[in-house]
Amino acid sequence: MQTPEEPNSYAAQIKGKSGLRRIINACGYTRDGFKAACEEQGFRQLLWLNIPLIVLAFILPFGLATRMILIASSFLSLIVELFNTGVEAAVDHTSLEKHPLAKRAKDVCSAAQGLALLLLALLWLLALWREYDINVF
């Protein structure tokens, strides 16, 4: 029997390729992940929210630091939604029965997305207030 440290162990065999082939495979997995995420209404809604925000961040005359923060916050909300979708899929795969821990996992991910969207809104409001003296507070 092989130990996990041996290079020909089962884990090493199922891990797949290395080097350039691994990078190419990872790009395929990323594409597949985006396709799967786009089948979810929540992710599509966030895309439709964030695409115009990212375009506006480039069009409006913000400073470089403000522009980077606004774009990063858009990407953060999309990344959190990807994790949220992944956790929901894993929980549903495990069991569709109601369970307090399954509910907790889904609720915590939803709370993370809520905080990411709150951050996105606050950063945009602060950027508009700072750059255009729009009194939003």
Side-chain angles (χ1 to χ4, degrees):
M1 184 168 171
Q2 295 176 334
T3 64
E5 293 79 24
E6 293 179 22
N8 292 329
S9 70
Y10 176 72
Q13 291 173 16
I14 64 168
K15 281 283 187 178
K17 310 294 181 211
S18 62
L20 184 58
R21 184 75 239 166
R22 183 175 180 174
I23 294 170
I24 292 169
N25 288 351
C27 289
Y29 303 144
T30 300
R31 181 196 66 233
D32 294 345
F34 276 118
K35 282 182 181 179
C38 286
E39 293 175 7
E40 299 289 330
Q41 184 178 4
F43 186 77
R44 287 193 311 270
Q45 288 173 338
L46 280 175
L47 271 178
W48 287 114
L49 168 69
N50 281 294
I51 289 172
L53 290 178
I54 292 170
V55 171
L56 277 175
F58 281 108
I59 292 174
L60 297 175
F62 292 122
L64 179 61
T66 301
R67 186 171 288 142
M68 290 187 317
I69 289 170
L70 293 175
I71 292 168
S73 64
S74 283
F75 273 88
L76 178 64
S77 73
L78 292 169
I79 291 166
V80 171
E81 183 58 28
L82 289 171
F83 283 126
N84 184 24
T85 300
V87 168
E88 286 185 0
V91 167
D92 290 346
H93 170 74
T94 303
S95 174
L96 292 176
E97 293 180 24
K98 288 189 175 187
H99 190 281
L101 292 177
K103 180 177 178 357
R104 179 182 290 183
K106 289 182 174 188
D107 289 350
V108 167
C109 287
S110 181
Q113 183 55 266
L115 287 176
L117 290 173
L118 178 62
L119 176 67
L120 180 67
L122 284 174
L123 290 173
W124 268 96
L125 290 173
L126 287 170
L128 292 170
W129 178 56
R130 180 174 179 239
E131 297 293 330
Y132 297 101
D133 201 25
I134 296 173
N135 193 1
V136 291
F137 297 105

